[in-house]
Amino acid sequence: MMEVRELAEVDKRPQYFDSVPSQAESYDSGTREMGELYPFLICGGANTERFYFTHVNDITEYKFNIRPRYFGNESNYTESFPKIIREILDTNNDAKVFCVFDWETVFGNNTCLKKHQDFENQFNEEIDKGIVTICRTMPCIEYWFLLHFVDCNDFMRDYGSVANKLAPFLKPCFPDLGKPLKKIIKSEKYLRDSKWVEELCADGKLDLAVERAERTITASMMVGDLENHSYSFVYLLFKR
């Protein structure tokens, strides 16, 4: 079992991919050229998303800049995200930022929709250039997990409707706790073990989730019918 990293903010330096050294570089002790900057990931969720992406960092080829302060309360992301995005872009050249959050509390709520639109309007230029990417999931991140197991784009309004479909696949990844999935998947003491994310990524299931999410969104948007389906733009994190 791979050791899980402590989720503490111990290194504030931006993380980079190593560039492949040239033959000449391999023969001397000089410093190699800096590679590509890891994308920055900020999220409206706390434990579930934070541990999911941390484990993804550890067990797959996908790497992100992840710090605890980039994850927080889902309800106030429109206030917290702009400050974090500005801090990242002001201190990191060529940075790319992915904003991940659940859509269930925004969907159908005019006040929340207005706040969300105001948030996006602050970064229209960065969004158009692909510097900032909005990755919402309707209704919640658990729908993204479900796509690893089944191809399902039925409209699901809230977490409960997703959990009913997801629990048979995901609960076996945890000890037999006799607890509902929501209590397990929100609790740090259960999420710290990477087994559940290893299962999500095993046997090409991550690639399947990306394929299913992209196909559903593309087809729905072509006919202007996206809001009548569940969907997840989280797949964009894995399309770069």
Side-chain angles (χ1 to χ4, degrees), residues 109 126 133 201 205:
N109 185 315
E126 290 85 354
T133 302
C201 296
K205 289 197 290 292

Side-chain angles (χ1 to χ4, degrees), residues 181-197:
L181 180 62
K182 187 172 184 177
K183 288 188 176 295
I184 297 171
I185 209 167
K186 301 298 181 184
S187 176
E188 178 176 338
K189 67 179 180 179
Y190 304 129
L191 298 175
R192 292 187 68 85
D193 190 320
S194 64
K195 180 181 177 181
W196 66 286
V197 180

Side-chain angles (χ1 to χ4, degrees), residues 55-123:
H55 293 321
V56 166
N57 259 7
D58 287 337
I59 67 178
T60 77
E61 64 182 6
Y62 299 102
K63 308 299 178 186
F64 307 96
N65 271 293
I66 298 176
R67 299 176 193 159
R69 69 188 180 92
Y70 293 164
F71 292 74
N73 187 338
E74 198 90 51
S75 65
N76 72 344
Y77 77 90
T78 55
E79 287 78 35
S80 61
F81 279 17
K83 180 180 178 181
I84 297 173
I85 292 170
R86 291 298 183 199
E87 288 177 352
I88 291 171
L89 298 183
D90 287 347
T91 55
N92 297 273
N93 293 330
D94 302 320
K96 290 189 176 182
V97 182
F98 290 86
C99 304
V100 176
F101 54 93
D102 296 347
W103 195 243
E104 61 182 330
T105 58
V106 180
F107 182 82
N109 185 315
N110 289 334
T111 299
C112 292
L113 284 169
K114 176 63 165 59
K115 288 182 178 180
H116 176 81
Q117 193 58 58
D118 290 344
F119 155 63
E120 285 203 20
N121 287 341
Q122 296 179 58
F123 299 98

Side-chain angles (χ1 to χ4, degrees), residues 138-194:
M138 177 64 198
C140 53
I141 190 68
E142 286 78 11
Y143 173 72
W144 166 248
F145 300 157
L146 180 63
L147 290 176
H148 292 64
F149 300 101
V150 294
D151 192 356
C152 175
N153 67 349
D154 298 341
F155 178 76
M156 288 174 273
R157 178 64 183 84
D158 52 27
Y159 166 84
S161 56
V162 177
N164 289 335
K165 296 179 182 293
L166 178 63
F169 298 107
L170 202 56
K171 284 191 71 174
C173 299
F174 299 94
D176 185 8
L177 303 170
K179 298 178 182 293
L181 180 62
K182 187 172 184 177
K183 288 188 176 295
I184 297 171
I185 209 167
K186 301 298 181 184
S187 176
E188 178 176 338
K189 67 179 180 179
Y190 304 129
L191 298 175
R192 292 187 68 85
D193 190 320
S194 64

